[in-house]
mmCIF file with all atom_site columns, all heavy atoms in Angstrom:
data_model
loop_
_atom_site.group_PDB
_atom_site.id
_atom_site.type_symbol
_atom_site.label_atom_id
_atom_site.label_alt_id
_atom_site.label_comp_id
_atom_site.label_asym_id
_atom_site.label_entity_id
_atom_site.label_seq_id
_atom_site.pdbx_PDB_ins_code
_atom_site.Cartn_x
_atom_site.Cartn_y
_atom_site.Cartn_z
_atom_site.occupancy
_atom_site.B_iso_or_equiv
_atom_site.pdbx_formal_charge
_atom_site.auth_seq_id
_atom_site.auth_comp_id
_atom_site.auth_asym_id
_atom_site.auth_atom_id
_atom_site.pdbx_PDB_model_num
ATOM 1   N N   . TYR A 1 378 ? 80.720  32.162 -41.250 1.00 0.00 ? 554 TYR A N   1
ATOM 2   C CA  . TYR A 1 378 ? 81.200  33.301 -40.445 1.00 0.00 ? 554 TYR A CA  1
ATOM 3   C C   . TYR A 1 378 ? 82.618  33.195 -40.167 1.00 0.00 ? 554 TYR A C   1
ATOM 4   O O   . TYR A 1 378 ? 83.122  32.159 -39.670 1.00 0.00 ? 554 TYR A O   1
ATOM 5   C CB  . TYR A 1 378 ? 80.447  33.505 -39.116 1.00 0.00 ? 554 TYR A CB  1
ATOM 6   C CG  . TYR A 1 378 ? 80.599  34.780 -38.536 1.00 0.00 ? 554 TYR A CG  1
ATOM 7   C CD1 . TYR A 1 378 ? 79.633  35.772 -38.671 1.00 0.00 ? 554 TYR A CD1 1
ATOM 8   C CD2 . TYR A 1 378 ? 81.694  35.115 -37.741 1.00 0.00 ? 554 TYR A CD2 1
ATOM 9   C CE1 . TYR A 1 378 ? 79.748  37.060 -38.171 1.00 0.00 ? 554 TYR A CE1 1
ATOM 10  C CE2 . TYR A 1 378 ? 81.887  36.406 -37.212 1.00 0.00 ? 554 TYR A CE2 1
ATOM 11  C CZ  . TYR A 1 378 ? 80.951  37.335 -37.384 1.00 0.00 ? 554 TYR A CZ  1
ATOM 12  O OH  . TYR A 1 378 ? 81.057  38.611 -36.917 1.00 0.00 ? 554 TYR A OH  1
ATOM 13  N N   . ASN A 1 379 ? 83.484  34.145 -40.530 1.00 0.00 ? 555 ASN A N   1
ATOM 14  C CA  . ASN A 1 379 ? 84.910  34.163 -40.436 1.00 0.00 ? 555 ASN A CA  1
ATOM 15  C C   . ASN A 1 379 ? 85.372  35.422 -39.668 1.00 0.00 ? 555 ASN A C   1
ATOM 16  O O   . ASN A 1 379 ? 84.675  36.549 -39.724 1.00 0.00 ? 555 ASN A O   1
ATOM 17  C CB  . ASN A 1 379 ? 85.578  34.127 -41.746 1.00 0.00 ? 555 ASN A CB  1
ATOM 18  C CG  . ASN A 1 379 ? 84.987  33.030 -42.680 1.00 0.00 ? 555 ASN A CG  1
ATOM 19  O OD1 . ASN A 1 379 ? 84.996  31.902 -42.282 1.00 0.00 ? 555 ASN A OD1 1
ATOM 20  N ND2 . ASN A 1 379 ? 84.500  33.427 -43.783 1.00 0.00 ? 555 ASN A ND2 1
ATOM 21  N N   . LEU A 1 380 ? 86.546  35.428 -39.076 1.00 0.00 ? 556 LEU A N   1
ATOM 22  C CA  . LEU A 1 380 ? 87.117  36.569 -38.474 1.00 0.00 ? 556 LEU A CA  1
ATOM 23  C C   . LEU A 1 380 ? 88.624  36.456 -38.550 1.00 0.00 ? 556 LEU A C   1
ATOM 24  O O   . LEU A 1 380 ? 89.252  35.370 -38.176 1.00 0.00 ? 556 LEU A O   1
ATOM 25  C CB  . LEU A 1 380 ? 86.664  36.587 -36.946 1.00 0.00 ? 556 LEU A CB  1
ATOM 26  C CG  . LEU A 1 380 ? 86.922  37.864 -36.159 1.00 0.00 ? 556 LEU A CG  1
ATOM 27  C CD1 . LEU A 1 380 ? 86.078  38.995 -36.713 1.00 0.00 ? 556 LEU A CD1 1
ATOM 28  C CD2 . LEU A 1 380 ? 86.873  37.620 -34.707 1.00 0.00 ? 556 LEU A CD2 1
ATOM 29  N N   . SER A 1 381 ? 89.218  37.549 -39.005 1.00 0.00 ? 557 SER A N   1
ATOM 30  C CA  . SER A 1 381 ? 90.729  37.539 -39.153 1.00 0.00 ? 557 SER A CA  1
ATOM 31  C C   . SER A 1 381 ? 91.233  38.812 -38.634 1.00 0.00 ? 557 SER A C   1
ATOM 32  O O   . SER A 1 381 ? 90.713  39.940 -38.913 1.00 0.00 ? 557 SER A O   1
ATOM 33  C CB  . SER A 1 381 ? 91.170  37.304 -40.589 1.00 0.00 ? 557 SER A CB  1
ATOM 34  O OG  . SER A 1 381 ? 90.726  36.166 -41.068 1.00 0.00 ? 557 SER A OG  1
ATOM 35  N N   . GLY A 1 382 ? 92.332  38.824 -37.789 1.00 0.00 ? 558 GLY A N   1
ATOM 36  C CA  . GLY A 1 382 ? 92.880  40.090 -37.230 1.00 0.00 ? 558 GLY A CA  1
ATOM 37  C C   . GLY A 1 382 ? 93.936  39.841 -36.197 1.00 0.00 ? 558 GLY A C   1
ATOM 38  O O   . GLY A 1 382 ? 94.731  38.987 -36.253 1.00 0.00 ? 558 GLY A O   1
ATOM 39  N N   . TYR A 1 383 ? 93.834  40.683 -35.142 1.00 0.00 ? 559 TYR A N   1
ATOM 40  C CA  . TYR A 1 383 ? 94.821  40.760 -34.084 1.00 0.00 ? 559 TYR A CA  1
ATOM 41  C C   . TYR A 1 383 ? 94.175  40.629 -32.719 1.00 0.00 ? 559 TYR A C   1
ATOM 42  O O   . TYR A 1 383 ? 93.178  41.226 -32.380 1.00 0.00 ? 559 TYR A O   1
ATOM 43  C CB  . TYR A 1 383 ? 95.616  42.079 -34.212 1.00 0.00 ? 559 TYR A CB  1
ATOM 44  C CG  . TYR A 1 383 ? 96.189  42.245 -35.629 1.00 0.00 ? 559 TYR A CG  1
ATOM 45  C CD1 . TYR A 1 383 ? 95.431  42.957 -36.592 1.00 0.00 ? 559 TYR A CD1 1
ATOM 46  C CD2 . TYR A 1 383 ? 97.456  41.863 -35.944 1.00 0.00 ? 559 TYR A CD2 1
ATOM 47  C CE1 . TYR A 1 383 ? 95.907  43.264 -37.791 1.00 0.00 ? 559 TYR A CE1 1
ATOM 48  C CE2 . TYR A 1 383 ? 97.980  42.138 -37.206 1.00 0.00 ? 559 TYR A CE2 1
ATOM 49  C CZ  . TYR A 1 383 ? 97.183  42.789 -38.149 1.00 0.00 ? 559 TYR A CZ  1
ATOM 50  O OH  . TYR A 1 383 ? 97.695  43.026 -39.387 1.00 0.00 ? 559 TYR A OH  1
ATOM 51  N N   . VAL A 1 384 ? 94.929  39.971 -31.735 1.00 0.00 ? 560 VAL A N   1
ATOM 52  C CA  . VAL A 1 384 ? 94.639  39.801 -30.331 1.00 0.00 ? 560 VAL A CA  1
ATOM 53  C C   . VAL A 1 384 ? 95.696  40.496 -29.560 1.00 0.00 ? 560 VAL A C   1
ATOM 54  O O   . VAL A 1 384 ? 96.882  40.047 -29.766 1.00 0.00 ? 560 VAL A O   1
ATOM 55  C CB  . VAL A 1 384 ? 94.328  38.454 -29.904 1.00 0.00 ? 560 VAL A CB  1
ATOM 56  C CG1 . VAL A 1 384 ? 94.090  38.409 -28.389 1.00 0.00 ? 560 VAL A CG1 1
ATOM 57  C CG2 . VAL A 1 384 ? 93.271  37.757 -30.599 1.00 0.00 ? 560 VAL A CG2 1
ATOM 58  N N   . LYS A 1 385 ? 95.375  41.558 -28.838 1.00 0.00 ? 561 LYS A N   1
ATOM 59  C CA  . LYS A 1 385 ? 96.367  42.086 -27.898 1.00 0.00 ? 561 LYS A CA  1
ATOM 60  C C   . LYS A 1 385 ? 96.144  41.440 -26.549 1.00 0.00 ? 561 LYS A C   1
ATOM 61  O O   . LYS A 1 385 ? 95.159  41.746 -25.875 1.00 0.00 ? 561 LYS A O   1
ATOM 62  C CB  . LYS A 1 385 ? 96.101  43.635 -27.776 1.00 0.00 ? 561 LYS A CB  1
ATOM 63  C CG  . LYS A 1 385 ? 96.529  44.441 -29.075 1.00 0.00 ? 561 LYS A CG  1
ATOM 64  C CD  . LYS A 1 385 ? 96.343  45.894 -28.846 1.00 0.00 ? 561 LYS A CD  1
ATOM 65  C CE  . LYS A 1 385 ? 96.838  46.760 -29.994 1.00 0.00 ? 561 LYS A CE  1
ATOM 66  N NZ  . LYS A 1 385 ? 96.656  48.218 -29.822 1.00 0.00 ? 561 LYS A NZ  1
ATOM 67  N N   . THR A 1 386 ? 97.086  40.512 -26.156 1.00 0.00 ? 562 THR A N   1
ATOM 68  C CA  . THR A 1 386 ? 96.817  39.764 -25.019 1.00 0.00 ? 562 THR A CA  1
ATOM 69  C C   . THR A 1 386 ? 97.029  40.595 -23.667 1.00 0.00 ? 562 THR A C   1
ATOM 70  O O   . THR A 1 386 ? 97.676  41.674 -23.718 1.00 0.00 ? 562 THR A O   1
ATOM 71  C CB  . THR A 1 386 ? 97.782  38.518 -24.966 1.00 0.00 ? 562 THR A CB  1
ATOM 72  O OG1 . THR A 1 386 ? 99.118  38.927 -24.691 1.00 0.00 ? 562 THR A OG1 1
ATOM 73  C CG2 . THR A 1 386 ? 97.697  37.768 -26.348 1.00 0.00 ? 562 THR A CG2 1
ATOM 74  N N   . LYS A 1 387 ? 96.458  39.951 -22.567 1.00 0.00 ? 563 LYS A N   1
ATOM 75  C CA  . LYS A 1 387 ? 96.588  40.633 -21.348 1.00 0.00 ? 563 LYS A CA  1
ATOM 76  C C   . LYS A 1 387 ? 98.118  40.794 -20.898 1.00 0.00 ? 563 LYS A C   1
ATOM 77  O O   . LYS A 1 387 ? 98.449  41.823 -20.185 1.00 0.00 ? 563 LYS A O   1
ATOM 78  C CB  . LYS A 1 387 ? 95.795  39.939 -20.366 1.00 0.00 ? 563 LYS A CB  1
ATOM 79  C CG  . LYS A 1 387 ? 95.636  40.629 -18.879 1.00 0.00 ? 563 LYS A CG  1
ATOM 80  C CD  . LYS A 1 387 ? 94.729  39.742 -17.997 1.00 0.00 ? 563 LYS A CD  1
ATOM 81  C CE  . LYS A 1 387 ? 94.431  40.567 -16.699 1.00 0.00 ? 563 LYS A CE  1
ATOM 82  N NZ  . LYS A 1 387 ? 93.604  39.808 -15.905 1.00 0.00 ? 563 LYS A NZ  1
ATOM 83  N N   . SER A 1 388 ? 98.958  39.955 -21.356 1.00 0.00 ? 564 SER A N   1
ATOM 84  C CA  . SER A 1 388 ? 100.333 39.993 -20.934 1.00 0.00 ? 564 SER A CA  1
ATOM 85  C C   . SER A 1 388 ? 101.200 40.946 -21.791 1.00 0.00 ? 564 SER A C   1
ATOM 86  O O   . SER A 1 388 ? 102.342 41.112 -21.540 1.00 0.00 ? 564 SER A O   1
ATOM 87  C CB  . SER A 1 388 ? 100.915 38.530 -21.038 1.00 0.00 ? 564 SER A CB  1
ATOM 88  O OG  . SER A 1 388 ? 100.975 38.106 -22.383 1.00 0.00 ? 564 SER A OG  1
ATOM 89  N N   . GLY A 1 389 ? 100.515 41.509 -22.851 1.00 0.00 ? 565 GLY A N   1
ATOM 90  C CA  . GLY A 1 389 ? 101.219 42.494 -23.652 1.00 0.00 ? 565 GLY A CA  1
ATOM 91  C C   . GLY A 1 389 ? 101.622 41.979 -25.031 1.00 0.00 ? 565 GLY A C   1
ATOM 92  O O   . GLY A 1 389 ? 102.284 42.640 -25.766 1.00 0.00 ? 565 GLY A O   1
ATOM 93  N N   . LYS A 1 390 ? 101.442 40.693 -25.311 1.00 0.00 ? 566 LYS A N   1
ATOM 94  C CA  . LYS A 1 390 ? 101.777 40.078 -26.548 1.00 0.00 ? 566 LYS A CA  1
ATOM 95  C C   . LYS A 1 390 ? 100.836 40.519 -27.615 1.00 0.00 ? 566 LYS A C   1
ATOM 96  O O   . LYS A 1 390 ? 99.678  40.931 -27.350 1.00 0.00 ? 566 LYS A O   1
ATOM 97  C CB  . LYS A 1 390 ? 101.729 38.556 -26.524 1.00 0.00 ? 566 LYS A CB  1
ATOM 98  C CG  . LYS A 1 390 ? 102.761 37.969 -25.443 1.00 0.00 ? 566 LYS A CG  1
ATOM 99  C CD  . LYS A 1 390 ? 104.198 38.024 -25.992 1.00 0.00 ? 566 LYS A CD  1
ATOM 100 C CE  . LYS A 1 390 ? 105.138 37.110 -25.221 1.00 0.00 ? 566 LYS A CE  1
ATOM 101 N NZ  . LYS A 1 390 ? 104.961 37.201 -23.782 1.00 0.00 ? 566 LYS A NZ  1
ATOM 102 N N   . LEU A 1 391 ? 101.184 40.385 -28.870 1.00 0.00 ? 567 LEU A N   1
ATOM 103 C CA  . LEU A 1 391 ? 100.340 40.597 -30.055 1.00 0.00 ? 567 LEU A CA  1
ATOM 104 C C   . LEU A 1 391 ? 100.230 39.364 -30.855 1.00 0.00 ? 567 LEU A C   1
ATOM 105 O O   . LEU A 1 391 ? 101.289 38.774 -31.365 1.00 0.00 ? 567 LEU A O   1
ATOM 106 C CB  . LEU A 1 391 ? 100.804 41.766 -30.958 1.00 0.00 ? 567 LEU A CB  1
ATOM 107 C CG  . LEU A 1 391 ? 99.873  42.064 -32.024 1.00 0.00 ? 567 LEU A CG  1
ATOM 108 C CD1 . LEU A 1 391 ? 98.520  42.666 -31.595 1.00 0.00 ? 567 LEU A CD1 1
ATOM 109 C CD2 . LEU A 1 391 ? 100.573 43.037 -32.976 1.00 0.00 ? 567 LEU A CD2 1
#
Side-chain angles (χ1 to χ4, degrees):
Y554 195 94
N555 310 302
L556 190 71
S557 299
Y559 306 90
V560 177
K561 293 183 174 181
T562 72
K563 191 174 182 180
S564 67
K566 300 285 198 314
L567 182 68

